[in-house]
Amino acid sequence: MNKLRYLSLSRKSSFVIAGILFMCAVWQLSSNLLAQSSTPSQLNESEALLDSYRHVEVASVSDALEQLTGRKMYLSHKMQAIFPTKFAGFALTVKLNKDEGNKDPGALSGMLAAIDQGAQSSVWVMVVEDGADIAGMGGLMGTTMSARGFAGAIIDGGVRDVGQLRKIGFPVYATGIVPSTSVGHYRFAGSNIRVSCDGVEVRPGDIVAADGDGVVIVPRAKAGEVLALAQEMDFKEHSMYSIIEKYKSIQEAVKRFGRL
């Protein structure tokens, strides 16, 4: 009799323990799914923002920025693309300072680490002190950036190995094409810091948008507001073309849409 009671209690205990283990497993699974779902949501939001910037004209973004901030946020005519291109991404800023004749093998190691740690859709924004005739990057760096999914690179300085960069289709804007090296002439001065690129302030995470008209920097805090106004400007301008063709008058189009 006692033995039967013991067996009955054992079965009940087993069911209770199994139930507890099952509930723990369900809770753990739910927690993991919840943790995983929040990160993709944030990534999707960022990618959606970038995708919208990839489909709006840089000239409209520049105009929207000037209206909303009263500041010049575009890079000058000196910043040229090595091939026709259009992209948008989040700024990963890097600075090199002059250190002529240095023999330090680690002088630029921080620059290489910044590349290897860069996230997908980054834009490499490099400021090379007095670097018009110094290549801030070349084929090796560009190939690594391309493999890591960088959107492109902006160099306030020179670029080299353009044959390789064009071959792999990695977009770069720079102030010129030169065959020189930064090795032995420069030292890494920091990454993900605020920099002045071609006279425009760039902070880590700002949006960098580029197309055939040039490059513009959008402060991250203003990204949504600037995008909405730029899209409105694009719509008006594209609508004006047919009016101009029909009436052969730019004044008529401006009167209807108020965009110039």
Side-chain angles (χ1 to χ4, degrees):
M1 187 73 174
N2 289 337
K3 187 176 181 181
L4 290 174
R5 182 183 299 173
Y6 173 77
L7 289 173
S8 177
L9 288 173
S10 296
R11 289 194 188 96
K12 288 180 181 178
S13 298
S14 298
F15 284 130
V16 169
I17 292 171
I20 292 172
L21 290 174
F22 176 75
M23 292 301 295
C24 287
V26 170
W27 177 84
Q28 185 64 49
L29 179 61
S30 300
S31 298
N32 290 341
L33 290 173
L34 185 61
Q36 292 171 9
S37 66
S38 60
T39 301
S41 175
Q42 293 170 348
L43 291 174
N44 290 340
E45 185 178 334
S46 295
E47 276 303 317
L49 181 65
L50 287 185
D51 189 59
S52 294
Y53 269 99
R54 294 182 189 115
H55 289 87
V56 69
E57 294 181 14
V58 163
S60 294
V61 176
S62 178
D63 289 356
L65 275 165
E66 187 171 348
Q67 283 193 25
L68 293 171
T69 70
R71 291 192 293 159
K72 165 191 170 292
M73 297 299 291
Y74 59 88
L75 306 189
S76 76
H77 66 280
K78 294 181 292 184
M79 199 63 66
Q80 295 291 314
I82 62 171
F83 58 80
T85 185
K86 184 174 179 63
F87 65 82
F90 297 115
L92 192 171
T93 58
V94 179
K95 188 176 182 182
L96 298 186
N97 284 347
K98 274 201 168 197
D99 189 10
E100 286 290 355
N102 80 77
K103 304 297 183 183
D104 180 4
L108 298 174
S109 59
M111 174 184 73
L112 305 183
I115 296 173
D116 283 355
Q117 294 165 10
Q120 186 169 330
S121 297
S122 294
V123 176
W124 182 260
V125 180
M126 170 178 271
V127 176
V128 184
E129 183 184 11
D130 297 329
D133 293 317
I134 293 292
M137 70 168 287
L140 297 177
M141 292 170 62
T143 301
T144 309
M145 293 177 197
S146 179
R148 292 190 63 83
F150 281 44
I154 309 295
I155 313 296
D156 192 351
V159 63
R160 71 178 192 177
D161 303 330
V162 294
Q164 169 66 5
L165 296 172
R166 287 169 178 158
K167 177 183 176 182
I168 64 175
F170 186 71
V172 178
Y173 279 75
T175 58
I177 298 172
V178 289
S180 56
T181 180
S182 59
V183 177
H185 304 285
Y186 282 83
R187 181 176 295 276
F188 173 72
S191 63
N192 280 319
I193 57 176
R194 182 172 61 183
V195 298
S196 177
C197 181
D198 193 27
V200 177
E201 182 181 84
V202 187
R203 296 171 182 264
D206 282 350
I207 290 179
V208 183
D211 66 12
D213 287 333
V215 183
V216 67
I217 309 299
V218 183
R220 186 65 182 271
K222 289 278 186 182
E225 188 179 4
V226 170
L227 175 63
L229 183 54
Q231 289 173 327
E232 180 185 337
M233 289 177 166
D234 262 8
F235 175 78
K236 287 181 178 180
E237 183 161 324
H238 296 165
S239 299
M240 289 169 71
Y241 293 140
S242 60
I243 298 298
I244 291 172
E245 290 170 352
K246 180 178 180 179
Y247 294 97
K248 298 179 176 56
S249 169
I250 189 171
Q251 293 182 92
E252 179 64 27
V254 171
K255 182 173 69 175
R256 292 187 181 213
F257 291 96
R259 168 86 169 121
L260 183 59

